[in-house]
Amino acid sequence: MSLGCSVVILAFFCCFHVQSRTIYEPAIIGGEEVYYGQYPWQVLLKKEHYGDVLCGGSIINPKWVLTAAHCTHKLINGVFVIYGTVNKDDHSFSQTVPQKNIIVHRKFEPDVLRNDVSLIKLETPIVFSDFISPIKLNFDDNRVLLKKLAVVIGFGVMSDENLEFSEHLMKTTMNVVENSICENVYNTDKLTYVTEATICAKPPPGKNNNICSGDSGGPLFIDDQGKWLQIGINSFVAKEACTEGNPSGFVRISKFKDFIIENTNIT
């Protein structure tokens, strides 16, 4: 297999052509509405106060948000961070964060979304409540994740035809599968998107649940003995094929333990 890669810019999305599909910066397909306080770590990122959906993210302690590097590496005026809500236009809990407070992984490779991890240091520490609280991160690289049922959430578009972002935070579930399933879809002899630092997940059999445009940077998380544990970050999905049951790629958080701890002192 020998295919070239062309880059297409669509709004603020970078689309990477791979085989007959296009990698699309990840909305929730086949989802349902999230109620207030259900997943209180979810963050919505916008370029500015009155901007549209940029990406998702997760609160990991009072001063830090975890997201994808491709969401932040081109920002020049900082980012507008919204939390404690399930409505994309509710800015009751929000703050603007300057560009100097954004840490993109120094080895981020945008062409293949390698090391697709970024941290945002908030100007004002978050006051936790029933509607705003952090999620625990999986730093155990030996934890068995294969065949786990994982949850994804976001404000992204909900179909391949309708490119409007969701007004409400949505959720769905996906199965963690072998990386080879993602490799068969996204990797070529010239471009390698899927590595050991990737988690591959796909819809349950007979379903089309998935992430899509607008969900990038949001959390992939599992139930770990009654507590939610974030294992991944939404990174890429096949463009114009979100509803076709394709697998999607997520950053494997355990591979970035050192990067996260060194910058945030989180334990």
Side-chain angles (χ1 to χ4, degrees):
M1 186 187 310
S2 178
L3 298 175
C5 177
S6 59
V7 179
V8 178
I9 303 299
L10 176 61
F12 52 80
F13 303 112
C14 289
C15 308
F16 302 86
H17 293 270
V18 179
Q19 299 179 1
S20 61
R21 297 189 175 93
T22 304
I23 295 229
Y24 202 34
E25 297 176 4
I28 300 294
I29 303 297
E32 56 187 86
E33 292 188 356
V34 173
Y35 58 80
Y36 272 101
Q38 187 173 12
Y39 304 123
W41 47 83
Q42 176 70 9
V43 163
L44 172 60
L45 304 180
K46 297 183 178 183
K47 287 187 177 180
E48 55 190 4
H49 187 281
Y50 296 105
D52 215 331
V53 172
L54 172 64
C55 279
S58 54
I59 299 169
I60 58 174
N61 76 7
K63 292 214 70 172
W64 291 94
V65 166
L66 180 67
T67 188
H70 74 257
C71 295
T72 62
H73 80 292
K74 287 187 176 181
L75 295 177
I76 58 176
N77 296 315
V79 66
F80 188 60
V81 182
I82 306 165
Y83 43 93
T85 186
V86 294
N87 185 317
K88 79 177 182 69
D89 296 317
D90 179 4
H91 299 170
S92 300
F93 298 97
S94 59
Q95 55 182 285
T96 298
V97 178
Q99 179 62 26
K100 65 181 178 66
N101 285 23
I102 299 174
I103 303 173
V104 175
H105 196 286
R106 63 185 179 85
K107 293 186 177 181
F108 173 55
E109 298 178 44
D111 288 348
V112 288
L113 299 178
R114 193 82 42 80
N115 304 308
D116 192 15
V117 184
S118 181
L119 291 162
I120 300 172
K121 186 178 183 180
L122 301 173
E123 288 282 271
T124 304
I126 292 175
V127 177
F128 293 149
S129 68
D130 291 340
F131 303 101
I132 309 171
S133 63
I135 186 169
K136 182 180 178 181
L137 302 180
N138 176 46
F139 287 149
D140 182 2
D141 206 28
N142 295 316
R143 186 184 300 274
V144 176
L145 301 178
L146 194 61
K147 298 183 180 181
K148 291 285 188 180
L149 184 65
V151 181
V152 287
I153 52 180
F155 287 93
V157 299
M158 294 182 290
S159 75
D160 292 322
E161 294 76 29
N162 183 359
L163 297 181
E164 294 292 324
F165 294 112
S166 175
E167 296 292 325
H168 198 94
L169 181 61
M170 305 295 289
K171 69 170 183 177
T172 195
T173 55
M174 302 180 70
N175 292 325
V176 177
V177 296
E178 296 86 353
N179 273 14
S180 59
I181 294 177
C182 279
E183 291 171 358
N184 292 337
V185 176
Y186 300 113
N187 286 2
T188 73
D189 57 356
K190 291 185 177 180
L191 295 169
T192 303
Y193 292 90
V194 183
T195 69
E196 64 176 6
T198 304
I199 292 177
C200 183
K202 67 177 301 182
K207 302 289 186 180
N208 68 346
N209 306 5
N210 215 331
I211 53 177
C212 198
S213 170
D215 288 326
S216 289
L220 175 77
F221 51 98
I222 61 172
D223 184 339
D224 180 48
Q225 300 181 347
K227 294 185 178 181
W228 293 114
L229 180 70
Q230 183 174 350
I231 60 173
I233 303 169
N234 300 356
S235 185
F236 59 84
V237 65
K239 183 198 173 192
E240 297 174 352
C242 299
T243 61
E244 293 184 8
N246 291 299
S248 295
F250 302 81
V251 174
R252 188 180 296 269
I253 286 177
S254 61
K255 296 295 185 183
F256 297 92
K257 173 183 176 180
D258 291 344
F259 169 74
I260 295 171
I261 292 177
E262 286 169 6
N263 286 288
T264 67
N265 293 320
I266 193 172
T267 59

